Amino acid sequence: MHTESNPIIKSALYVVATPIGNLNDMTPRAIAALKGADVIAAEDTRVTGQLLKHFNISTPMVSLREHNEHSMAEKLVARMLAGETIAQVSDAGTPAVSDPGALLAAAAHAAGCKIIPVPGASALTTALSASGFNCPHALFYGFLPPKTKQRCDALSELKDQSFISVFYEAPHRIVDCLNDMASVFGPDREAVLCREITKTFETIRRLPLGELAAWVASDSNQERGESVVVVNAAPRATKADGADYDSVLLPLIAELPLKQAVALAVSITGAPKNALYERALTLKKEA
């Protein structure tokens, strides 16, 4: 196991994950990074101020949020090039994951500054770990569009994919979001709602989307706090067996040329053309 004898490196950017609810999830390394930095770039200095107060951290802060990230990144990189160490945090969780942070990291890369991630809490990985979905691939989508039409369009692109999809959603949109998911993915697709993760009223509920949408709509408490929705991968399509369609193929190939018989069978059954063609060839040989 690696430990750092001198954990704070000069002219570096520390990207520090902070708790998403339970303050006991703050790591000793994160505390050391925030204490040892020359300045902390915080999404909201008021929110981070409460965290610093709890852990007796007196490092000065500057505000780095969505609307000023570009200009602040230039200033902070200049400070790093002058020898200072910057620690970056978002309000909760890991910076740049549906939060500000990417522009500062990109600017630090471009300037040749060292970037040191300090891992910790993340709603994304926490929700995935609790979902119980056994799939090696996952897509983190983040926040869906707020309007129903655009949201459904985005979901439609994911409905048949063979990976888990993970979404963040705001409290006032969670019911509409789940209803749209049930409509697009189908009411039987399994999903997990992870609400208020690590907080006092944490909810982890796994149900088919239709039932999950109805359950949330029936309990207004489930519309409070931030949510992560984990949707299972689309079920794998079973390989079509042409023999399943013999009752259609046999009378057709008895009366029609092979290609015409297969084309008509595809039109009738909706089965894959290749599977029906291979089966038709077999039936011809056996006739």
Side-chain angles (χ1 to χ4, degrees):
M1 182 179 293
H2 174 71
T3 57
E4 296 171 329
S5 56
N6 182 17
I8 300 303
I9 297 173
K10 291 300 180 182
S11 298
L13 172 65
Y14 281 79
V15 182
V16 183
T18 57
I20 56 178
N22 192 320
L23 290 177
N24 289 326
D25 293 333
M26 187 74 167
T27 67
R29 188 168 175 236
I31 294 172
L34 295 182
K35 284 186 174 180
D38 294 293
V39 66
I40 297 170
E43 181 182 2
D44 187 327
T45 55
R46 294 166 299 180
V47 173
T48 299
Q50 294 299 311
L51 180 75
L52 301 188
K53 181 179 179 181
H54 181 85
F55 290 103
N56 297 314
I57 299 171
S58 57
T59 306
M61 291 183 286
V62 295
S63 175
L64 184 141
R65 55 193 187 278
E66 182 182 357
H67 300 297
N68 76 342
E69 188 174 2
H70 190 275
S71 60
M72 280 302 302
E74 294 179 0
K75 296 175 183 177
L76 291 170
V77 165
R79 294 179 68 164
M80 282 186 276
L81 292 175
E84 291 191 13
T85 298
I86 309 297
Q88 181 186 26
V89 297
S90 59
D91 287 350
T94 303
V97 182
S98 283
D99 273 326
L103 291 181
L104 176 56
H109 277 297
C113 300
K114 189 172 182 64
I115 299 177
I116 303 167
V118 181
S122 167
L124 164 62
T125 53
T126 305
L128 270 174
S129 72
S131 71
F133 293 140
N134 185 22
C135 177
H137 309 294
L139 167 78
F140 174 56
Y141 191 96
F143 286 96
L144 286 158
K147 302 289 187 181
T148 294
K149 171 64 167 61
Q150 290 82 357
R151 184 164 54 231
C152 288
D153 287 345
L155 292 170
S156 294
E157 295 180 4
L158 305 173
K159 77 177 271 195
D160 297 321
Q161 300 301 324
S162 58
F163 46 68
I164 296 166
S165 298
V166 186
F167 307 91
Y168 286 174
E169 194 50 272
H172 62 285
R173 289 197 297 265
I174 187 62
V175 172
D176 290 340
C177 177
L178 289 172
N179 283 328
D180 288 342
M181 287 179 174
S183 175
V184 174
F185 290 127
D188 297 327
R189 180 82 67 90
E190 286 257 295
V192 177
L193 173 69
C194 301
R195 184 184 69 88
E196 291 287 84
I197 298 175
T198 78
K199 301 185 177 102
T200 302
F201 298 104
E202 177 181 81
T203 298
I204 309 288
R205 189 67 181 263
R206 175 170 162 169
L207 289 169
L209 274 167
E211 295 180 33
L212 189 61
W215 179 72
V216 171
S218 70
D219 182 0
S220 61
N221 286 324
Q222 302 309 320
E223 298 179 52
R224 299 176 181 174
E226 300 293 331
S227 292
V228 183
V229 182
V230 185
V231 180
N232 202 7
R236 291 183 179 179
T238 56
K239 188 174 180 180
D241 184 352
D244 294 339
Y245 305 99
D246 281 5
S247 60
V248 175
L249 278 171
L250 282 168
L252 291 174
I253 62 176
E255 300 293 333
L256 299 169
L258 190 65
K259 288 186 178 180
Q260 189 177 348
V262 170
L264 189 53
V266 170
S267 177
I268 294 169
T269 65
K273 181 180 179 180
N274 288 344
L276 290 182
Y277 191 81
E278 292 297 323
R279 182 58 181 167
L281 286 174
T282 300
L283 291 174
K284 271 286 191 182
K285 292 176 183 178
E286 292 174 353

Short mmCIF file of all heavy atoms in Angstrom, two decimals, residues 98-143:
data_model
loop_
_atom_site.label_atom_id
_atom_site.label_comp_id
_atom_site.label_asym_id
_atom_site.label_seq_id
_atom_site.Cartn_x
_atom_site.Cartn_y
_atom_site.Cartn_z
N SER A 98 -20.83 15.87 -13.47
CA SER A 98 -22.05 16.68 -13.44
C SER A 98 -21.90 17.88 -12.51
O SER A 98 -22.87 18.33 -11.90
CB SER A 98 -23.27 15.83 -13.04
OG SER A 98 -23.69 15.04 -14.11
N ASP A 99 -20.70 18.38 -12.39
CA ASP A 99 -20.38 19.56 -11.59
C ASP A 99 -19.24 20.30 -12.29
O ASP A 99 -18.55 19.72 -13.14
CB ASP A 99 -19.93 19.15 -10.18
CG ASP A 99 -21.10 18.98 -9.21
OD1 ASP A 99 -22.08 19.74 -9.35
OD2 ASP A 99 -21.04 18.10 -8.34
N PRO A 100 -18.99 21.56 -11.91
CA PRO A 100 -17.83 22.26 -12.48
C PRO A 100 -16.53 21.53 -12.16
O PRO A 100 -16.46 20.75 -11.21
CB PRO A 100 -17.89 23.63 -11.78
CG PRO A 100 -19.31 23.78 -11.35
CD PRO A 100 -19.78 22.41 -11.01
N GLY A 101 -15.52 21.81 -12.93
CA GLY A 101 -14.21 21.22 -12.64
C GLY A 101 -13.40 20.84 -13.86
O GLY A 101 -12.17 20.89 -13.85
N ALA A 102 -14.07 20.45 -14.93
CA ALA A 102 -13.36 19.96 -16.10
C ALA A 102 -12.49 21.03 -16.75
O ALA A 102 -11.37 20.75 -17.20
CB ALA A 102 -14.34 19.38 -17.12
N LEU A 103 -12.98 22.27 -16.80
CA LEU A 103 -12.22 23.33 -17.46
C LEU A 103 -10.93 23.65 -16.71
O LEU A 103 -9.89 23.90 -17.33
CB LEU A 103 -13.07 24.59 -17.59
CG LEU A 103 -14.25 24.52 -18.57
CD1 LEU A 103 -14.97 25.87 -18.60
CD2 LEU A 103 -13.77 24.15 -19.96
N LEU A 104 -11.00 23.62 -15.39
CA LEU A 104 -9.78 23.88 -14.61
C LEU A 104 -8.78 22.76 -14.82
O LEU A 104 -7.58 23.01 -15.01
CB LEU A 104 -10.12 24.03 -13.12
CG LEU A 104 -8.92 24.21 -12.18
CD1 LEU A 104 -8.06 25.41 -12.60
CD2 LEU A 104 -9.39 24.37 -10.73
N ALA A 105 -9.23 21.52 -14.81
CA ALA A 105 -8.33 20.39 -15.03
C ALA A 105 -7.72 20.47 -16.43
O ALA A 105 -6.51 20.21 -16.62
CB ALA A 105 -9.07 19.08 -14.84
N ALA A 106 -8.52 20.83 -17.43
CA ALA A 106 -8.02 20.94 -18.80
C ALA A 106 -6.95 22.04 -18.90
O ALA A 106 -5.92 21.86 -19.56
CB ALA A 106 -9.17 21.24 -19.76
N ALA A 107 -7.21 23.16 -18.24
CA ALA A 107 -6.24 24.26 -18.26
C ALA A 107 -4.94 23.86 -17.56
O ALA A 107 -3.84 24.22 -17.99
CB ALA A 107 -6.84 25.50 -17.59
N ALA A 108 -5.06 23.11 -16.48
CA ALA A 108 -3.87 22.63 -15.77
C ALA A 108 -3.06 21.67 -16.64
O ALA A 108 -1.83 21.73 -16.68
CB ALA A 108 -4.28 21.97 -14.47
N HIS A 109 -3.78 20.78 -17.34
CA HIS A 109 -3.09 19.88 -18.28
C HIS A 109 -2.32 20.68 -19.33
O HIS A 109 -1.15 20.41 -19.62
CB HIS A 109 -4.10 18.98 -18.99
CG HIS A 109 -4.52 17.77 -18.22
ND1 HIS A 109 -3.64 16.77 -17.86
CD2 HIS A 109 -5.74 17.38 -17.75
CE1 HIS A 109 -4.28 15.81 -17.20
NE2 HIS A 109 -5.55 16.16 -17.12
N ALA A 110 -3.01 21.65 -19.92
CA ALA A 110 -2.42 22.45 -21.00
C ALA A 110 -1.17 23.21 -20.53
O ALA A 110 -0.23 23.42 -21.30
CB ALA A 110 -3.44 23.42 -21.56
N ALA A 111 -1.17 23.61 -19.27
CA ALA A 111 -0.05 24.38 -18.73
C ALA A 111 1.07 23.49 -18.20
O ALA A 111 2.12 23.99 -17.79
CB ALA A 111 -0.54 25.30 -17.61
N GLY A 112 0.85 22.19 -18.23
CA GLY A 112 1.87 21.26 -17.75
C GLY A 112 1.91 21.11 -16.25
O GLY A 112 2.89 20.59 -15.69
N CYS A 113 0.85 21.53 -15.56
CA CYS A 113 0.78 21.38 -14.11
C CYS A 113 0.41 19.94 -13.75
O CYS A 113 -0.30 19.26 -14.48
CB CYS A 113 -0.25 22.32 -13.51
SG CYS A 113 0.08 24.07 -13.81
N LYS A 114 0.89 19.49 -12.63
CA LYS A 114 0.57 18.14 -12.16
C LYS A 114 -0.86 18.13 -11.61
O LYS A 114 -1.28 19.04 -10.89
CB LYS A 114 1.55 17.70 -11.08
CG LYS A 114 1.42 16.23 -10.69
CD LYS A 114 2.53 15.82 -9.76
CE LYS A 114 2.43 14.34 -9.41
NZ LYS A 114 2.60 13.45 -10.57
N ILE A 115 -1.62 17.07 -11.94
CA ILE A 115 -2.98 16.92 -11.45
C ILE A 115 -3.04 15.67 -10.59
O ILE A 115 -2.63 14.58 -11.02
CB ILE A 115 -3.98 16.83 -12.62
CG1 ILE A 115 -3.94 18.12 -13.44
CG2 ILE A 115 -5.40 16.57 -12.10
CD1 ILE A 115 -4.82 18.10 -14.65
N ILE A 116 -3.55 15.84 -9.39
CA ILE A 116 -3.57 14.75 -8.42
C ILE A 116 -5.01 14.52 -7.96
O ILE A 116 -5.55 15.32 -7.18
CB ILE A 116 -2.67 15.07 -7.21
CG1 ILE A 116 -1.24 15.36 -7.68
CG2 ILE A 116 -2.68 13.92 -6.21
CD1 ILE A 116 -0.36 15.97 -6.64
N PRO A 117 -5.66 13.46 -8.42
CA PRO A 117 -7.01 13.18 -7.94
C PRO A 117 -6.99 12.56 -6.55
O PRO A 117 -6.15 11.71 -6.25
CB PRO A 117 -7.55 12.19 -8.98
CG PRO A 117 -6.33 11.50 -9.50
CD PRO A 117 -5.21 12.51 -9.43
N VAL A 118 -7.89 13.01 -5.71
CA VAL A 118 -8.05 12.43 -4.38
C VAL A 118 -9.43 11.79 -4.34
O VAL A 118 -10.44 12.47 -4.14
CB VAL A 118 -7.91 13.51 -3.28
CG1 VAL A 118 -8.05 12.88 -1.89
CG2 VAL A 118 -6.56 14.24 -3.41
N PRO A 119 -9.52 10.49 -4.59
CA PRO A 119 -10.82 9.84 -4.75
C PRO A 119 -11.61 9.78 -3.46
O PRO A 119 -11.06 9.87 -2.35
CB PRO A 119 -10.45 8.44 -5.25
CG PRO A 119 -9.08 8.21 -4.74
CD PRO A 119 -8.41 9.55 -4.74
N GLY A 120 -12.90 9.62 -3.64
CA GLY A 120 -13.79 9.54 -2.48
C GLY A 120 -15.21 9.34 -2.93
O GLY A 120 -15.48 8.63 -3.91
N ALA A 121 -16.13 10.00 -2.26
CA ALA A 121 -17.56 9.78 -2.51
C ALA A 121 -17.96 10.19 -3.92
O ALA A 121 -17.49 11.19 -4.46
CB ALA A 121 -18.38 10.56 -1.49
N SER A 122 -18.85 9.39 -4.52
CA SER A 122 -19.43 9.69 -5.82
C SER A 122 -20.80 9.03 -5.88
O SER A 122 -20.92 7.82 -5.66
CB SER A 122 -18.54 9.15 -6.95
OG SER A 122 -19.23 9.16 -8.18
N ALA A 123 -21.82 9.82 -6.17
CA ALA A 123 -23.17 9.27 -6.26
C ALA A 123 -23.25 8.23 -7.37
O ALA A 123 -24.00 7.24 -7.26
CB ALA A 123 -24.18 10.39 -6.49
N LEU A 124 -22.50 8.43 -8.44
CA LEU A 124 -22.51 7.51 -9.57
C LEU A 124 -22.07 6.10 -9.15
O LEU A 124 -22.80 5.13 -9.33
CB LEU A 124 -21.61 8.05 -10.67
CG LEU A 124 -21.18 7.07 -11.78
CD1 LEU A 124 -22.39 6.57 -12.55
CD2 LEU A 124 -20.16 7.71 -12.70
N THR A 125 -20.86 5.99 -8.62
CA THR A 125 -20.35 4.67 -8.26
C THR A 125 -21.10 4.07 -7.09
O THR A 125 -21.28 2.85 -7.01
CB THR A 125 -18.85 4.74 -7.94
OG1 THR A 125 -18.62 5.74 -6.93
CG2 THR A 125 -18.05 5.09 -9.18
N THR A 126 -21.56 4.91 -6.18
CA THR A 126 -22.33 4.41 -5.04
C THR A 126 -23.63 3.78 -5.50
O THR A 126 -24.00 2.68 -5.06
CB THR A 126 -22.62 5.55 -4.04
OG1 THR A 126 -21.40 6.17 -3.66
CG2 THR A 126 -23.31 5.01 -2.80
N ALA A 127 -24.34 4.44 -6.41
CA ALA A 127 -25.59 3.90 -6.93
C ALA A 127 -25.36 2.62 -7.72
O ALA A 127 -26.11 1.63 -7.59
CB ALA A 127 -26.30 4.94 -7.79
N LEU A 128 -24.32 2.61 -8.56
CA LEU A 128 -24.00 1.39 -9.32
C LEU A 128 -23.72 0.22 -8.40
O LEU A 128 -24.18 -0.91 -8.64
CB LEU A 128 -22.78 1.65 -10.21
CG LEU A 128 -23.04 2.18 -11.62
CD1 LEU A 128 -21.71 2.50 -12.30
CD2 LEU A 128 -23.83 1.19 -12.45
N SER A 129 -22.98 0.47 -7.34
CA SER A 129 -22.61 -0.62 -6.43
C SER A 129 -23.82 -1.19 -5.70
O SER A 129 -23.82 -2.36 -5.31
CB SER A 129 -21.58 -0.13 -5.41
OG SER A 129 -22.16 0.74 -4.45
N ALA A 130 -24.86 -0.38 -5.52
CA ALA A 130 -26.05 -0.83 -4.80
C ALA A 130 -27.13 -1.38 -5.72
O ALA A 130 -28.15 -1.90 -5.25
CB ALA A 130 -26.62 0.32 -3.98
N SER A 131 -26.94 -1.26 -7.04
CA SER A 131 -28.01 -1.63 -7.98
C SER A 131 -28.23 -3.13 -8.08
O SER A 131 -29.34 -3.59 -8.30
CB SER A 131 -27.71 -1.06 -9.37
OG SER A 131 -26.64 -1.76 -9.98
N GLY A 132 -27.16 -3.89 -7.96
CA GLY A 132 -27.28 -5.33 -8.13
C GLY A 132 -27.39 -5.78 -9.57
O GLY A 132 -27.63 -6.96 -9.83
N PHE A 133 -27.19 -4.89 -10.52
CA PHE A 133 -27.25 -5.26 -11.93
C PHE A 133 -25.90 -5.84 -12.36
O PHE A 133 -24.87 -5.19 -12.21
CB PHE A 133 -27.60 -4.06 -12.81
CG PHE A 133 -28.99 -3.54 -12.59
CD1 PHE A 133 -29.24 -2.18 -12.57
CD2 PHE A 133 -30.06 -4.41 -12.39
CE1 PHE A 133 -30.52 -1.69 -12.36
CE2 PHE A 133 -31.35 -3.93 -12.18
CZ PHE A 133 -31.58 -2.56 -12.17
N ASN A 134 -25.94 -7.04 -12.89
CA ASN A 134 -24.71 -7.75 -13.26
C ASN A 134 -24.42 -7.54 -14.74
O ASN A 134 -24.76 -8.34 -15.59
CB ASN A 134 -24.87 -9.24 -12.96
CG ASN A 134 -23.59 -10.01 -13.21
OD1 ASN A 134 -22.51 -9.43 -13.21
ND2 ASN A 134 -23.70 -11.30 -13.43
N CYS A 135 -23.80 -6.41 -15.04
CA CYS A 135 -23.46 -6.06 -16.41
C CYS A 135 -22.09 -5.40 -16.40
O CYS A 135 -21.84 -4.52 -15.57
CB CYS A 135 -24.50 -5.12 -17.00
SG CYS A 135 -24.14 -4.57 -18.68
N PRO A 136 -21.17 -5.81 -17.29
CA PRO A 136 -19.82 -5.25 -17.25
C PRO A 136 -19.70 -3.83 -17.80
O PRO A 136 -18.65 -3.21 -17.67
CB PRO A 136 -19.01 -6.23 -18.11
CG PRO A 136 -20.00 -6.78 -19.07
CD PRO A 136 -21.31 -6.86 -18.32
N HIS A 137 -20.76 -3.31 -18.41
CA HIS A 137 -20.68 -2.00 -19.05
C HIS A 137 -21.76 -1.06 -18.51
O HIS A 137 -22.90 -1.48 -18.29
CB HIS A 137 -20.84 -2.12 -20.57
CG HIS A 137 -19.95 -3.16 -21.17
ND1 HIS A 137 -18.58 -3.03 -21.19
CD2 HIS A 137 -20.23 -4.35 -21.76
CE1 HIS A 137 -18.04 -4.09 -21.76
NE2 HIS A 137 -19.02 -4.91 -22.12
N ALA A 138 -21.38 0.20 -18.32
CA ALA A 138 -22.34 1.19 -17.83
C ALA A 138 -22.07 2.53 -18.49
O ALA A 138 -20.92 2.90 -18.71
CB ALA A 138 -22.26 1.32 -16.31
N LEU A 139 -23.14 3.23 -18.79
CA LEU A 139 -23.05 4.58 -19.33
C LEU A 139 -23.53 5.57 -18.28
O LEU A 139 -24.63 5.41 -17.74
CB LEU A 139 -23.94 4.74 -20.58
CG LEU A 139 -24.16 6.18 -21.02
CD1 LEU A 139 -22.93 6.69 -21.76
CD2 LEU A 139 -25.39 6.32 -21.90
N PHE A 140 -22.71 6.56 -17.98
CA PHE A 140 -23.15 7.64 -17.10
C PHE A 140 -23.67 8.76 -17.97
O PHE A 140 -22.89 9.44 -18.65
CB PHE A 140 -22.00 8.13 -16.21
CG PHE A 140 -22.37 9.34 -15.40
CD1 PHE A 140 -23.48 9.31 -14.56
CD2 PHE A 140 -21.63 10.50 -15.47
CE1 PHE A 140 -23.83 10.43 -13.81
CE2 PHE A 140 -21.96 11.62 -14.73
CZ PHE A 140 -23.07 11.58 -13.90
N TYR A 141 -24.97 8.98 -17.96
CA TYR A 141 -25.57 10.02 -18.78
C TYR A 141 -25.58 11.36 -18.04
O TYR A 141 -25.46 12.41 -18.65
CB TYR A 141 -26.99 9.64 -19.19
CG TYR A 141 -27.57 10.55 -20.25
CD1 TYR A 141 -27.51 10.19 -21.59
CD2 TYR A 141 -28.14 11.78 -19.91
CE1 TYR A 141 -28.01 11.04 -22.56
CE2 TYR A 141 -28.64 12.62 -20.87
CZ TYR A 141 -28.57 12.25 -22.20
OH TYR A 141 -29.06 13.09 -23.16
N GLY A 142 -25.76 11.32 -16.73
CA GLY A 142 -25.91 12.57 -15.98
C GLY A 142 -27.35 13.05 -16.04
O GLY A 142 -28.28 12.25 -16.00
N PHE A 143 -27.56 14.36 -16.16
CA PHE A 143 -28.90 14.92 -16.16
C PHE A 143 -29.52 14.87 -17.55
O PHE A 143 -28.90 15.28 -18.53
CB PHE A 143 -28.88 16.36 -15.66
CG PHE A 143 -28.67 16.50 -14.19
CD1 PHE A 143 -27.40 16.72 -13.67
CD2 PHE A 143 -29.74 16.38 -13.30
CE1 PHE A 143 -27.20 16.83 -12.31
CE2 PHE A 143 -29.55 16.50 -11.94
CZ PHE A 143 -28.28 16.72 -11.44
#
